[in-house]
Amino acid sequence: MSEWVWRLLSLSLAGTLLALALFIVQPVARRFLSRRVLYVLWVVVMVRMLVPVGLVGLGASASTTAVPTRPPSVTSAAPTSSASTSSVSVS
C-alpha cells in the first residue's frame, strides 16, 4: 500500500481513539463541564474525523518531509596528490 493510505489509516485510528476516550470520560465530565463544553469537544472529534490532517502534516517534520540532499561533489571524489597520501613501494 502507498504511504498516504497508511497515513490515512493511522489518522483515522487516532480519531477513533479520541472519540472512544471522550465517550468513556463523558459521564464523569458531565459533573464538571457544561453541556456547551461537551458539545464543543464532540465537534472537535467530528472535525478530526472529517478532516484527516495531522499536526505533523502541517509543519515540517523529518519523518514526513523529504529533504533534498546535495549530490556529492565531483572534486571531493577526485584522487589527491601522491605527496599527501601514503604509498607503498614494492621493491
Side-chain angles (χ1 to χ4, degrees):
M1 290 179 128
S2 65
E3 183 180 340
W4 69 271
V5 173
W6 287 112
R7 179 97 172 130
L8 182 66
L9 287 174
S10 70
L11 290 172
S12 297
L13 179 63
T16 302
L17 293 176
L18 180 65
L20 184 62
L22 184 58
F23 186 73
I24 291 171
V25 172
Q26 188 174 2
V28 176
R30 283 184 184 161
R31 297 180 194 158
F32 304 106
L33 301 174
S34 68
R35 287 184 181 202
R36 180 174 288 166
V37 172
L38 289 174
Y39 178 78
V40 169
L41 289 175
W42 279 111
V43 168
V44 169
V45 170
M46 284 181 39
V47 168
R48 175 72 178 97
M49 294 294 280
L50 292 174
V51 182
V53 175
L55 293 176
V56 174
L58 296 176
S61 171
S63 63
T64 59
T65 306
V67 177
T69 58
R70 277 173 117 181
S73 96
V74 176
T75 57
S76 65
T80 58
S81 67
S82 62
S84 64
T85 61
S86 63
S87 61
V88 177
S89 66
V90 179
S91 20

